[in-house]
Amino acid sequence: MKIVITIPAYNEEKTIGRVIKDIKNVMQQTNYNYQIIVVNDGSKDKTKSIAKESGAIVYSNPINLGLSETFKIEIQKCLDLKADIIVHTDADGQYLAKDIPRLIKEIENGNDLVLGNRFEGGIEHLPIIKKLGNKAFSKVISKIVQKKIGDCQTGFRAFTKEVAQNIKIISNFTYTQEQIIHAVKKGYKIKEIPTY
């Protein structure tokens, strides 16, 4: 089984090296066959060179395309690398590398899409307006899919290659919510876990 951990990055030279190092330190303590890829979204700083030096495979967008377009590119690159499980995380260190094996384990337990819920765990350092907005939007998404989703905007998630192959993201802004909605409609099993 192959794991590809994917990180979108735009001008993240201050954090990308540490994020990759933390992921490698955690994953080397497991038996997983894994690769780390960074999709550099047109950064104007040293993100690309630091990511390469840190041992990630780096793909670069010629210009800044935004998170949603970069997510689509990430998925295709992961499928090209024959990923069985894709883990999506952030370049700013918001999510903890030590939680990655927990996401993977839930996929191994039979789930198709696993979300890291920032509000049930310890990662809650969002501005109050964003936090309230996310919680309100999560309630709306929960109503749409008729399933309780506590953090619909989390970028910290793992999913199977089948989810990657069968859910085509078309939105330019809300890929996090769109993936959840389509996953529910297609009958995929979704689970949230608290992030620590």
Side-chain angles (χ1 to χ4, degrees), residues 13 16-18 20-21 24 38 46-58:
E13 66 179 8
I16 190 68
R18 177 175 51 83
I20 293 168
K21 181 183 174 187
K24 287 168 79 174
V38 170
K46 295 179 182 175
T47 295
K48 179 180 176 180
S49 59
I50 292 171
K52 277 188 175 176
E53 288 164 15
S54 300
I57 299 167
V58 180

Side-chain angles (χ1 to χ4, degrees), residues 107-184:
I107 297 288
E108 291 178 323
N109 288 342
N111 296 290
D112 302 296
L113 172 60
V114 183
L115 309 170
N117 186 329
R118 294 166 289 181
F119 305 114
E120 285 184 7
I123 301 176
E124 294 196 39
H125 51 270
L126 286 175
I128 189 69
I129 295 298
K130 275 193 172 183
K131 197 181 291 187
L132 291 173
N134 188 355
K135 286 189 173 184
F137 205 67
S138 291
K139 284 184 180 177
V140 172
I141 294 295
S142 296
K143 226 171 193 178
I144 291 170
V145 299
Q146 297 184 338
K147 175 182 175 61
K148 187 179 185 309
I149 304 291
D151 186 2
C152 71
Q153 292 179 309
T154 180
F156 192 47
R157 53 185 61 203
F159 47 95
T160 62
K161 67 180 176 186
E162 289 78 18
V163 167
Q165 288 166 338
N166 296 326
I167 295 178
K168 302 300 178 199
I169 303 296
I170 56 173
S171 166
N172 290 326
F173 303 103
T174 57
Y175 74 93
T176 51
Q177 299 93 325
E178 185 180 355
Q179 189 182 45
I180 294 167
I181 291 168
H182 289 311
V184 170

Side-chain angles (χ1 to χ4, degrees), residues 177-195:
Q177 299 93 325
E178 185 180 355
Q179 189 182 45
I180 294 167
I181 291 168
H182 289 311
V184 170
K185 285 183 177 176
K186 288 179 181 289
Y188 287 118
K189 194 172 177 186
I190 301 174
K191 180 161 184 176
E192 279 190 292
I193 62 168
T195 53

Side-chain angles (χ1 to χ4, degrees), residues 13-124:
E13 66 179 8
K14 291 180 180 174
T15 55
I16 190 68
R18 177 175 51 83
V19 167
I20 293 168
K21 181 183 174 187
D22 288 349
I23 292 170
K24 287 168 79 174
N25 287 341
V26 167
M27 295 302 290
Q28 283 166 4
Q29 296 174 44
T30 72
N31 293 319
Y32 294 120
N33 170 23
Y34 77 96
Q35 286 182 293
I36 301 170
I37 70 169
V38 170
V39 179
N40 170 41
D41 190 20
S43 297
K44 294 176 171 60
D45 64 1
K46 295 179 182 175
T47 295
K48 179 180 176 180
S49 59
I50 292 171
K52 277 188 175 176
E53 288 164 15
S54 300
I57 299 167
V58 180
Y59 301 97
S60 289
N61 298 338
I63 58 170
N64 179 246
L65 300 176
L67 264 177
S68 191
E69 285 302 316
T70 300
F71 184 70
K72 295 173 196 174
I73 292 165
E74 286 177 66
I75 287 178
Q76 189 54 57
K77 297 297 184 187
C78 290
L79 292 173
D80 291 347
L81 290 170
K82 310 294 184 195
D84 295 298
I85 297 174
I86 297 166
V87 177
H88 180 265
T89 190
D90 282 355
D92 61 5
Q94 175 185 174
Y95 306 114
L96 302 180
K98 67 179 182 180
D99 284 329
I100 290 173
R102 295 176 57 237
L103 291 177
I104 296 167
K105 183 60 68 180
E106 291 300 339
I107 297 288
E108 291 178 323
N109 288 342
N111 296 290
D112 302 296
L113 172 60
V114 183
L115 309 170
N117 186 329
R118 294 166 289 181
F119 305 114
E120 285 184 7
I123 301 176
E124 294 196 39

